[in-house]
Amino acid sequence: MFIGAIGCEPLQLARVNLENSASIEVYRAHGGYEALAKVLGGMSPDDVIAEVKKSALRGRGGAGFPTGMKWSFVPKDSPKPKYVVCNADESEPGTFKDRYLMERDPHMLIEGMLIAAYALGSHTAYCYTRGEYRYLIEIMDRAIEEARAAGLVGANILGTNFSCEVYTHTGAGAYICGEETALLNSLEGLRGHPRMKPPFPAIAGLYQCPTVVNNVETLTAVPDIIKMGGEAYQKLGTEKSGGTKVWSVSGHVNRPGVYELPMGYDDMEKFIMEDCGGIREGRKLKAVIPGGSSVYIMPAEDIIGKDVKMDYEGLVAAGSMVGSGGFIVMDETVDIFESTKNLIEFYKHESCGWCTPCREGTDWLVKIFKRIARGEGRPEDAQLILDLCDNIEGKSFCPLGDAAAWPIQSAIKKFPEDFKRHLAPLAT
Amino acid sequence: MSQQFTPNNPLPQEAKVPEEIAVFSPEVEAEIDGHLAKYPPDRKRSAILPLMFIVQRERGGYLDPPGVAYLADRLGVRITDIWEVATFYSMINTEPVGRFHIQVCKTLSCKILGAGGITARCTEKLGIKAGETTADGLFSLSEVECLGSCGTAPMMQIGFDYYENLTPEKVDDIIERCRSGQMTNGVR
Amino acid sequence: MSQELIKVTINGQEHGVLKGARLIDVCREKGFDIPSFCYYSDLALQASCRMCLVRIEKMPKLQTSCTITCTDGMIVTTQSEEIEKAQRAMVEFLLANHPLDCPVCDRGGECELQEMAFDWGGLEERFAERKNYAPEKYLSPMVANDPQRCILCKRCTRVCDEWMGEDAIEAGGRGANTVIGTYGGWLNCSQCGNCIEVCPTGTLLDATYRHQARPWELSQTISTCTYCSDGCQMSLGSRAGELMRVVARDRYVNGHNGEFLCIKGRFGHPFVNHEGRLRTPMIRYKKGGKLIPATWDEAIRYTASKLDAVAEAHGASAIAVVGSPRLTNESLYALHKFATEVVGTENFTATDAFSLQPFLDDLGGPLATHRDIRYARTILLIGGEPEELQPLTGRQIRQAVRNGGCQLLIVNSIPIRLKQHAAKFLHVRPGTEDAVVLAIANQAHNKLAAAKMGVEEVELIELRRALTNTEGDIVIMFGGELSPEAQSIVAQLPYTFARESRRVLLHPLPLYNNSLGAHDMGLMRGANDAAGLVEGAGATVRALYMAGSFLPEHVRGREGALSNLDFMVVQELFETETTRFADVVFPAASWAEVDGTFTNNDGLVQRVRQSIPPVHQSKPDWMITAQLAQELGVDFGFQMSASAVFKELAERVAAYEGLRYPLLKDETRPVQAHYALRERRDLSQELESIRARVDAMDETALKIMGTPEVGHELFKPGTLTGRVPQFPLLASGNPVPPSMAISPLYQITIDERLRPTAAATGD
Ligand SMILES: Cc1cc2nc3c(=O)[nH]c(=O)nc-3n(C[C@H](O)[C@H](O)[C@H](O)COP(=O)(O)O)c2cc1C
Ligand code: SF4
Ligand code: FES
């Protein structure tokens, strides 16, 4: 599996291919913890936040919210303890970048968490990792111990008066716990239901204290931002979305893997056909889901010869989203009805059951898709499915409902043929 | 495993110590203390998931009533609180599972790269369908949602271990190694 | 919530609303209906049913009005095509996996989901798939459960947690497999049944009334509970002279308890139509003989002549008159009138567990209503165990602490469950509760008090500081542990602690539904208390006329004393330990069969209304008394109507002056008796006698350890609740039946040994 950068110097992936890259020695030998030293060496928390703002870093967890702004929401004066929580619940189908970042370069994440903690005046940082990634938790625990031994975690870090503990925490199999407020409930030992917003975590998060939740990739970007400065980092990408983005590429490409691209990397077609080695067995490209299962599906026509820019704005313009950067490529053999059925089954299984439309809607949709798959499809089902999606979208308690509706809506819109075939089984 | 909770030996609602309650070795207790130490003293409940993994590892792969009683007692919560949490998370088992819990990813990327064939081969080798456990209690087979190996699809997880870029032949080999006891890791 | 007004435009109309008000409440108040399932006022917000969607300008997508607090200039639309489509869609979703078995559902006819569907009409069923299946089952002897009907509004789990503090029922599973239940499927709790009450659908059902009747067959009568002194308002559902069920659903009744009832109020009613009810008057013509059925006329005549004879031979005071604090004010008044005006004896009393007379005589501040308790800033609870003996008070305390941030101070010799909500819990030696009153009244006694109670002196200092630092209401509650002198001192505490910004409200915790009424009617001012009268039986007391029975503690150590009486006449519902000694027994009508009033521990005078005609030949107690008086030559002039009795007593009892039934009609606006406050008086004598008693207390006595089990009082089968088979079952530990598909009553026979002794709360 390929792992590396294309079209830019590797930042996030600078060390991943080195011999035992997870060790603190290798990390330090390649500029590790210099950013932390720089920060503790004379930057004020506000300086740090300012740099991150300049970097135009946008959350890599899926929402794409400007990280610097998120950090600035945390009340400085609050007497309560503040928390930094790393969201390593990575469960979005098609997404596995966080996994390799943590596996190959855990110290980069620890450094990122520490800098965030410093910027927010926090002394405790948790890394909430999905339960299935047990081996990553072990890697992280080892790394934390190394860092502690080196005086980088715990009391008086690098001899300064900044102290911060970093802990790992395990999930136990629930996609919804990737949603930041559900994650916080889960971290408090409750069922992983999302919470009402407002209040936002920045005001009342973990244990009702000010909390910042950031994706792994977001936090691992921070050390480089500090080292090279916010502007330089932003310049790597576009004006609105700075820096580089790590994409998880899977499906019918010859070279699946983890690709670091500059934001605004142009031409998705080139990316697929050349960088990722093109479609397996020379088959034709049929569709791409560029940002993890929760985004609109893109048919080949919208990609070939359309030089689609790979950043937030570019993908929206092309009718989809960056999401979590889970880039799923499908060739002509794939039946989009089948692939859509597969995804809605995922969302049904992962719906937390809190709110009516998502709980009942996904259950109902799965039943319809299964019926159609049994060859009992009816022409009017398409309309029914679309209407149900419309009744879920925008009505659910958290975005999971929307995330379940979008792929279906776009699939039916973009691939009517694949559905017609199933909906009028007798006709064909 | 199935989310539906099937009633078994009921325990009192209050977190008072029930008649039967699990006990663990000093090592395990130390491990548990280690987890509890991560959270504020008045927030012990935060450790519920880590502790559940330990208890189900120690109690034969699932949360049996004494194990549940232990958790409620150790965390100072009600039995119902353990139940509501345990049944929410798909990795927490409220029913016994086989020593080797084979979990084949069925989500899109794996699916289009042949997950179906992998499950089929497991079924063929083990004589059980997804959601079932072999009579000898050695294997359980489940189809699970995306485990983050889309780039190395198709894949499956046994216990906590990833097996990636699978082919039916590889599956045969892995199952053989489980059978012949060469595979030491697994659910417990 | 501040009093500041802000402007909110709803459907084009501008309204001034209180800043911080919740949008859904405001809309409804202003007459715009907003459908909802999960929203329940004063419970944690849920926002999961997604029914209450509205459009708010400058906000993306539709918003749930249950989660929105109004802000100035907000522009809201509650009705539009978009909104109706969304709301219809939610109902459609909720009905998708719903079995649609209304015809066999106990909730059919009063189901919020059903109404929602019917009201809107035109819901074509597009769901053509297979429905998820889950079997019906029992969660406990009281609660039946049909999981398929559940819409997961989670009112039940929130009520269990926030009202009852029990957290016994929870949601398990995930997504479409989410179920309401418990670990192991069996419900161990106080069985209040409030989860049943708040359930909008037929998911949680009253197992004792299962498949017995349809709601529309029942005539609903609003009345007051006959158990504890909280006086919950309830709706009695009866059919053809039979009391079928008791509920507090807000569609029928809206008392100060809202939809809250406890196990006794909700499930304790079947004694009314129990086959053991006395059917006719009975006479025991010779001592040791059998009670033989007689006609009313004969029994009345016989009784009158006997009483005459005793008065002749031993004088009027040899006749004692006793009433039960369960009777209506009307009946108790009639008894008092009978004692004083017909017989002319000072030997009268009520069979209450303890007297509040000293407290009421020295009352120096207003009685707290349950609403006051909910919004109190500080609650001081001395003795008592509200969660078992006055459950509504228990809930109000919990709500005050959890939703209102009130500080709860508990002084108790038993580590009662409420202590988990307490900011301060003084665990004192048994019988030393007086000491804390001593310390509060005069800090000089802190040291002594602390030593005797077995607490640190600082704790008393902090206790006092907590009181003096309070801004807002202080509510002081006390149970039967306090001595008469201590009661007087507590009654006068308002004079010490009240300020401009701080009311001090008092809340006594008597045990019976009409304990306070018994005092108001003057019955507790007799020369003797119940125990005393039993003591004097055969000596000072030769004849006894009583309505109700003695409590176990009244006769304890004096067993058989009653047999020394020349003559004894008892009005009762059932044969009891007391009727065993009676020469004449009159069948009395129960609370469900009479009109009248109860006065609760707030001093609220609330109506009791006749739901069914008196069973068999029974009659209301006051009527029997009046007939007896008639026979003895005194016409009470009650013209057979309770309202006439009340009118007269309202003229005679100062606190009830001006009250009439029409003024008590509306349970949503309960009327408090206006007790005259006693001016501040010198209490040095009382203080001195308490100090002396405290001084003599044992400093080495052991403390009581261990928190009592849930239901240790509530489940005890008494004369009334003992007739309901579920109570003994619960009292013997609520064993799990072999099958949860069948009512445990049909599967479990209770081992006699497990039957606890009669409840301390008597009845
Ligand atoms: C259903 C759902 C699942 C999510 N899963 C993840 C996830 O697995 N990992 C993640 O980092 N963010 C996930 N998010 C996004 C988080 O809610 C949150 O936006 C993110 O962690 C914020 O970090 P960021 O600002 O660095 O992106 C999810 C959101 C939703 C609604
Ligand atoms: S709390 Fe008291 S008054 Fe209310 S229902 Fe229960 S017993 Fe009756
Ligand atoms: S009432 Fe607002 S979501 Fe249920």
Side-chain angles (χ1 to χ4, degrees):
Chain A
M1 190 196 79
F2 174 85
I3 169 161
I6 304 255
C8 65
E9 278 305 302
L11 278 182
Q12 303 253 352
L13 302 182
R15 287 161 300 269
V16 288
N17 292 318
L18 299 172
E19 180 76 10
N20 96 62
S21 58
S23 71
I24 191 165
E25 294 76 19
V26 174
Y27 187 60
R28 288 192 118 162
H30 295 77
Y33 291 111
E34 285 171 11
L36 180 63
K38 180 174 172 189
V39 164
L40 298 182
M43 289 176 78
S44 75
D46 290 343
D47 300 342
V48 177
I49 295 179
E51 282 308 317
V52 175
K53 276 191 173 155
K54 281 198 222 121
S55 74
L57 172 65
R58 292 174 63 167
R60 306 290 195 233
F65 192 86
T67 306
M69 197 188 302
K70 187 188 258 189
W71 289 11
S72 59
F73 291 156
V74 173
K76 299 257 165 314
D77 40 22
S78 164
K80 296 181 180 167
K82 305 178 185 61
Y83 293 98
V84 168
V85 176
C86 170
N87 186 340
D89 191 60
E90 187 170 66
S91 314
E92 177 88 0
T95 316
F96 47 96
K97 61 188 173 70
D98 296 348
R99 174 182 167 193
Y100 288 96
L101 288 170
M102 291 166 78
E103 175 188 311
R104 310 266 180 107
D105 207 346
H107 286 283
M108 178 167 52
L109 176 55
I110 295 172
E111 186 176 11
M113 290 168 79
L114 289 169
I115 295 172
Y118 175 80
L120 302 164
S122 155
H123 303 294
T124 317
Y126 293 101
C127 180
Y128 184 105
T129 312
R130 70 179 295 184
E132 293 88 345
Y133 283 172
R134 169 63 60 93
Y135 83 103
L136 290 182
I137 298 177
E138 284 156 6
I139 290 174
M140 281 299 289
D141 282 334
R142 250 178 269 122
I144 292 170
E145 282 324 305
E146 284 178 332
R148 184 188 306 282
L152 293 158
V153 165
N156 304 87
I157 293 169
L158 294 172
T160 66
N161 54 11
F162 171 62
S163 306
C164 183
E165 283 298 339
V166 179
Y167 299 119
T168 55
H169 180 95
T170 178
Y175 167 63
I176 187 61
C177 291
E179 196 286 328
E180 54 189 353
T181 56
L183 182 151
L184 295 174
N185 275 340
S186 182
L187 188 45
E188 289 186 16
L190 306 166
R191 290 161 64 84
H193 292 301
R195 294 177 182 173
M196 216 134 42
K197 299 190 219 173
F200 289 88
I203 307 303
L206 185 61
Y207 311 133
Q208 294 307 308
C209 302
T211 305
V212 159
V213 181
N214 273 131
N215 172 251
V216 172
E217 187 190 343
T218 314
L219 289 166
T220 51
V222 172
D224 289 312
I225 293 174
I226 297 298
K227 267 187 280 182
M228 68 173 67
E231 257 140 63
Y233 180 87
Q234 178 268 320
K235 294 233 169 354
L236 296 173
T238 67
E239 184 204 343
K240 284 219 201 55
S241 27
T244 62
K245 166 86 188 103
V246 181
W247 299 80
S248 323
V249 181
S250 65
H252 292 130
V253 287
N254 283 312
R255 211 149 51 107
V258 181
Y259 290 75
E260 180 171 16
L261 305 182
M263 276 289 180
Y265 182 86
D266 52 3
D267 203 2
M268 186 183 287
E269 180 180 0
K270 171 175 171 299
F271 178 61
I272 299 169
M273 294 310 174
E274 295 167 24
D275 308 336
C276 301
I279 308 300
R280 296 193 183 187
E281 291 154 29
R283 293 211 208 85
K284 288 211 352 275
L285 173 69
K286 179 166 187 176
V288 171
I289 300 178
S293 61
S294 303
V295 305
Y296 297 130
I297 184 169
M298 300 172 72
E301 315 80 88
D302 294 3
I303 300 169
I304 309 294
K306 294 278 194 316
D307 44 41
V308 175
K309 269 204 181 339
M310 291 179 68
D311 62 17
Y312 292 93
E313 297 72 24
L315 280 177
V316 170
S320 191
M321 288 173 256
V322 169
S324 64
F327 199 91
I328 307 172
V329 180
M330 292 177 270
D331 71 18
E332 53 196 332
T333 63
V334 176
D335 176 344
I336 299 301
F337 167 82
E338 284 297 334
S339 67
T340 313
K341 170 169 174 285
N342 181 278
L343 290 182
I344 185 62
E345 282 172 4
F346 168 82
Y347 288 105
K348 181 213 157 155
H349 185 261
E350 300 302 335
S351 166
C352 80
W354 183 264
C355 74
T356 307
C358 174
R359 179 184 69 242
E360 300 296 334
T362 52
D363 182 60
W364 187 349
L365 284 166
V366 165
K367 286 172 175 169
I368 296 175
F369 273 87
K370 286 199 166 144
R371 171 166 55 76
I372 296 174
R374 286 199 306 270
E376 297 166 27
R378 314 190 197 94
E380 60 272 25
D381 282 332
Q383 200 39 50
L384 175 59
I385 293 172
L386 285 174
D387 190 55
L388 293 183
C389 291
D390 178 57
N391 290 342
I392 298 172
E393 185 192 6
K395 324 277 189 302
S396 56
F397 185 88
C398 85
L400 190 142
D402 306 336
W406 291 335
I408 305 179
Q409 290 168 327
S410 52
I412 295 184
K413 194 144 115 272
K414 303 283 185 179
F415 299 90
E417 291 314 313
D418 289 30
F419 282 80
K420 278 215 194 67
R421 201 166 53 251
H422 291 271
L423 295 184
L426 307 178
T428 51
Chain B
M1 299 243 72
S2 81
Q3 286 292 337
Q4 206 90 46
F5 183 81
T6 52
N8 52 30
N9 174 20
L11 291 158
Q13 295 296 344
E14 301 294 333
K16 73 184 174 203
V17 188
E19 59 290 328
E20 202 195 353
I21 174 162
V23 285
F24 297 121
S25 67
E27 298 70 34
V28 176
E29 283 296 329
E31 187 184 359
I32 288 172
D33 291 328
H35 282 292
L36 287 169
K38 295 178 178 178
Y39 313 97
D42 59 335
R43 299 293 186 166
K44 279 197 288 179
R45 184 174 175 156
S46 280
I48 199 166
L49 291 179
L51 265 56
M52 278 177 173
F53 277 116
I54 295 174
V55 170
Q56 79 179 17
R57 182 191 70 208
E58 298 294 316
R59 301 293 304 184
Y62 78 110
L63 298 184
D64 63 345
V68 171
Y70 174 89
L71 285 166
D73 187 38
R74 195 75 151 82
L75 296 169
V77 299
R78 291 182 169 84
I79 294 293
T80 338
D81 299 329
I82 303 296
W83 172 77
E84 62 167 349
V85 173
T87 52
F88 185 88
Y89 296 93
S90 54
M91 292 180 76
I92 305 299
N93 305 322
T94 49
E95 306 135 20
V97 293
R99 172 152 174 13
F100 296 103
H101 187 184
I102 301 179
Q103 304 152 75
V104 184
C105 173
K106 65 175 274 288
T107 317
L108 191 50
S109 301
C110 284
K111 164 115 191 298
I112 61 179
L113 292 171
I118 303 303
T119 319
R121 183 54 84 69
C122 294
T123 300
E124 181 182 321
K125 290 282 291 184
L126 302 172
I128 50 170
K129 292 201 283 330
E132 295 176 347
T133 302
T134 52
D136 59 7
L138 199 58
F139 294 96
S140 288
L141 179 63
S142 328
E143 287 184 309
V144 298
E145 299 295 351
C146 183
L147 294 178
S149 290
C150 321
T152 47
M155 69 80 65
M156 67 188 190
Q157 190 176 26
I158 302 182
F160 288 116
D161 298 350
Y162 278 64
Y163 297 87
E164 307 178 87
N165 297 314
L166 289 175
T167 61
E169 296 65 37
K170 285 193 191 167
V171 170
D172 295 347
D173 171 57
I174 293 165
I175 290 179
E176 273 326 311
R177 280 193 285 132
C178 293
R179 282 228 176 89
S180 62
Q182 297 162 38
M183 188 97 73
T184 49
N185 39 23
V187 172
R188 307 172 216 168
Chain C
M1 194 160 67
S2 78
Q3 295 307 304
E4 186 185 339
L5 279 185
I6 55 172
K7 293 221 174 315
V8 173
T9 310
I10 305 173
N11 298 340
Q13 304 174 14
E14 190 171 275
H15 298 279
V17 305
L18 281 176
K19 190 158 185 286
R22 194 162 297 291
L23 183 55
I24 191 170
D25 296 335
V26 171
C27 293
R28 288 175 170 174
E29 201 178 301
K30 304 299 177 194
F32 303 104
D33 177 52
I34 300 222
S36 78
F37 288 117
C38 69
Y39 178 65
Y40 196 100
S41 116
D42 213 12
L43 286 184
L45 289 179
Q46 172 92 358
S48 65
C49 76
R50 319 305 286 177
M51 283 299 296
C52 64
L53 295 166
V54 298
R55 172 62 69 185
I56 300 175
E57 274 186 28
K58 297 208 228 33
M59 286 206 195
K61 47 187 180 174
L62 297 173
Q63 300 291 322
T64 48
S65 54
C66 66
T67 62
I68 303 283
T69 37
C70 296
T71 53
D72 198 18
M74 193 177 254
I75 301 177
V76 186
T77 315
T78 70
Q79 280 140 5
S80 74
E81 239 176 58
E82 169 197 41
I83 293 168
E84 176 165 350
K85 176 174 190 293
Q87 291 171 335
R88 282 177 174 278
M90 295 313 130
V91 177
E92 184 181 33
F93 280 140
L94 290 172
L95 292 175
N97 276 306
H98 187 287
L100 304 177
D101 57 350
C102 308
V104 295
C105 174
D106 278 348
R107 194 72 88 217
E110 50 183 18
C111 166
E112 294 177 33
L113 184 59
Q114 191 184 39
E115 282 161 359
M116 200 76 75
F118 281 154
D119 289 356
W120 286 5
L123 282 176
E124 48 147 350
E125 198 182 358
R126 297 190 293 175
F127 183 88
E129 322 301 326
R130 192 171 242 290
K131 293 185 189 264
N132 301 339
Y133 172 74
E136 295 185 28
K137 57 184 188 295
Y138 284 79
L139 292 177
S140 83
M142 303 307 194
V143 186
N145 172 220
D146 182 344
Q148 296 189 108
R149 298 177 185 151
C150 183
I151 60 172
L152 292 169
C153 65
K154 305 235 182 90
R155 289 186 196 171
C156 49
T157 62
R158 285 176 288 162
V159 156
C160 189
D161 178 16
E162 297 177 41
W163 285 6
M164 309 310 294
E166 294 181 29
D167 226 339
I169 188 163
E170 276 293 358
R174 184 171 85 192
N177 294 331
T178 312
V179 289
I180 297 297
T182 72
Y183 181 72
W186 199 242
L187 190 54
N188 291 325
C189 63
S190 71
Q191 310 290 336
C192 62
N194 287 317
C195 51
I196 300 170
E197 199 71 280
V198 298
C199 178
T201 71
T203 307
L204 297 170
L205 296 165
D206 179 341
T208 69
Y209 153 87
R210 195 143 195 224
H211 302 323
Q212 304 262 313
R214 315 311 316 269
W216 57 85
E217 303 173 323
L218 301 177
S219 58
Q220 303 287 346
T221 311
I222 296 176
S223 191
T224 305
C225 179
T226 188
Y227 284 105
C228 86
S229 61
D230 279 333
C232 291
Q233 294 302 289
M234 48 175 46
S235 177
L236 311 186
S238 65
R239 181 183 65 185
E242 191 181 356
L243 181 55
M244 304 299 293
R245 70 166 188 186
V246 166
V247 296
R249 301 214 126 206
D250 55 14
R251 68 184 57 215
Y252 303 124
V253 53
N254 286 286
H256 67 317
N257 51 308
E259 292 194 313
F260 171 95
L261 289 178
C262 73
I263 180 175
K264 287 178 161 182
R266 187 182 309 281
F267 301 110
H269 56 81
F271 71 87
V272 170
N273 297 96
H274 191 273
E275 73 274 12
R277 281 287 296 275
L278 298 175
R279 290 156 192 267
T280 67
M282 292 186 287
I283 302 176
R284 197 190 309 272
Y285 288 96
K286 62 178 195 340
K287 291 276 174 200
K290 284 179 52 254
L291 281 168
I292 296 161
T295 66
W296 272 104
D297 293 351
E298 186 186 0
I300 293 278
R301 231 181 286 111
Y302 184 81
T303 307
S305 62
K306 288 287 186 180
L307 290 178
D308 261 338
V310 173
E312 280 301 316
H314 308 281
S317 54
I319 300 177
V321 178
V322 180
S324 155
R326 288 212 179 287
L327 304 184
T328 59
N329 286 317
E330 290 70 5
S331 298
L332 291 167
Y333 172 79
L335 280 173
H336 184 259
K337 185 170 179 171
F338 186 90
T340 51
E341 296 177 21
V342 179
V343 181
T345 174
E346 64 294 344
N347 276 328
F348 52 82
T349 189
T351 52
D352 209 333
F354 58 93
S355 169
L356 285 169
Q357 207 58 61
F359 167 79
L360 293 167
D361 291 343
D362 282 313
L363 193 62
L367 293 182
T369 66
H370 284 81
R371 195 174 182 292
D372 296 329
I373 299 173
R374 163 62 181 86
Y375 293 100
R377 301 312 303 151
T378 302
I379 295 174
L380 171 59
L381 172 63
I382 305 172
E385 191 179 7
E387 65 270 63
E388 291 280 325
L389 300 174
Q390 297 86 4
L392 177 62
T393 298
R395 179 195 78 169
Q396 297 303 90
I397 295 175
R398 263 180 239 109
Q399 292 274 87
V401 173
R402 298 189 45 154
N403 305 25
C406 156
Q407 65 173 343
L408 172 61
L409 315 167
I410 297 183
V411 181
N412 205 310
S413 60
I414 301 166
I416 55 174
R417 295 202 305 284
L418 264 181
K419 76 174 193 302
Q420 63 177 323
H421 302 288
K424 191 158 204 39
F425 171 56
L426 294 193
H427 188 188
V428 304
R429 295 204 178 88
T432 63
E433 288 82 1
D434 268 16
V436 79
V437 176
L438 182 68
I440 291 172
N442 180 348
Q443 312 176 55
H445 299 304
N446 280 358
K447 199 165 176 17
L448 172 67
K452 299 298 181 177
M453 292 192 289
V455 302
E456 294 306 320
E457 199 175 338
V458 295
E459 303 207 68
L460 288 172
I461 296 166
E462 286 164 13
L463 189 72
R464 164 176 282 270
R465 193 178 303 126
L467 294 175
T468 49
N469 287 351
T470 302
E471 289 293 308
D473 290 356
I474 297 179
V475 175
I476 301 178
M477 310 183 177
F478 63 94
E481 291 86 345
L482 293 190
S483 67
E485 296 82 0
Q487 278 190 22
S488 297
I489 289 167
V490 170
Q492 294 263 312
L493 282 179
Y495 289 118
T496 321
F497 289 98
R499 297 279 177 281
E500 247 329 290
S501 60
R502 184 195 310 146
R503 292 193 305 168
V504 176
L505 307 165
L506 301 166
H507 190 70
L509 296 171
L511 298 183
Y512 299 105
N513 52 304
N514 203 26
S515 290
L516 227 64
H519 291 77
D520 297 340
M521 297 308 117
L523 271 182
M524 300 301 278
R525 295 183 181 282
N528 262 307
D529 65 4
L533 291 176
V534 179
E535 193 65 56
T540 51
V541 180
R542 313 294 305 213
L544 184 60
Y545 168 36
M546 98 180 275
S549 295
F550 287 108
L551 302 182
E553 58 259 42
H554 294 146
V555 274
R556 198 164 295 128
R558 312 178 185 84
E559 287 76 6
L562 293 174
S563 54
N564 308 333
L565 290 165
D566 300 359
F567 181 71
M568 176 170 177
V569 50
V570 179
Q571 299 168 189
E572 249 301 354
L573 304 177
F574 298 98
E575 299 209 9
T576 67
E577 272 307 297
T578 305
T579 57
R580 273 181 42 225
F581 302 95
D583 302 282
V584 175
V585 176
F586 293 120
S590 80
W591 115 107
E593 300 146 48
V594 304
D595 277 305
T597 53
F598 291 156
T599 307
N600 80 341
N601 49 24
D602 302 354
L604 301 184
V605 184
Q606 306 190 103
R607 286 281 277 115
V608 174
R609 293 190 181 81
Q610 184 184 49
S611 158
I612 57 172
V615 300
H616 310 305
Q617 289 187 28
S618 63
K619 294 184 179 183
D621 291 272
W622 63 265
M623 202 179 283
I624 304 172
T625 310
Q627 283 184 4
L628 206 47
Q630 193 83 46
E631 191 64 27
L632 289 163
V634 182
D635 179 1
F636 278 1
F638 292 160
Q639 316 119 352
M640 294 294 140
S641 92
S643 55
V645 187
F646 188 78
K647 179 167 176 298
E648 179 176 319
L649 78 84
E651 283 155 4
R652 306 262 193 104
V653 179
Y656 292 55
E657 194 195 344
L659 298 187
R660 298 285 184 274
Y661 278 2
L663 306 177
L664 307 178
K665 199 160 71 240
D666 181 358
E667 86 279 4
T668 64
R669 280 189 263 101
V671 179
Q672 193 172 32
H674 23 76
Y675 295 98
L677 297 193
R678 177 152 186 185
E679 72 296 342
R680 186 167 202 166
R681 73 175 182 93
D682 167 36
L683 290 157
S684 44
Q685 278 179 347
E686 284 78 0
L687 268 174
E688 178 44 34
S689 65
I690 295 182
R691 199 203 51 73
R693 214 173 323 105
V694 171
D695 208 29
M697 287 177 180
D698 172 6
E699 278 186 35
T700 62
L702 292 177
K703 287 186 182 177
I704 300 167
M705 290 301 164
T707 299
E709 293 262 315
V710 174
H712 70 99
E713 281 294 342
L714 284 169
F715 298 164
K716 278 185 183 170
T719 316
L720 303 182
T721 54
R723 316 274 162 174
V724 189
Q726 283 86 354
F727 280 76
L729 187 59
L730 291 169
S732 40
N734 187 18
V736 184
S739 159
M740 292 180 193
I742 313 163
S743 166
L745 284 183
Y746 299 117
Q747 307 178 65
I748 295 178
T749 47
I750 310 137
D751 180 336
E752 278 302 323
R753 282 177 300 107
L754 291 175
R755 276 177 180 270
T757 52
T761 59
D763 77 35

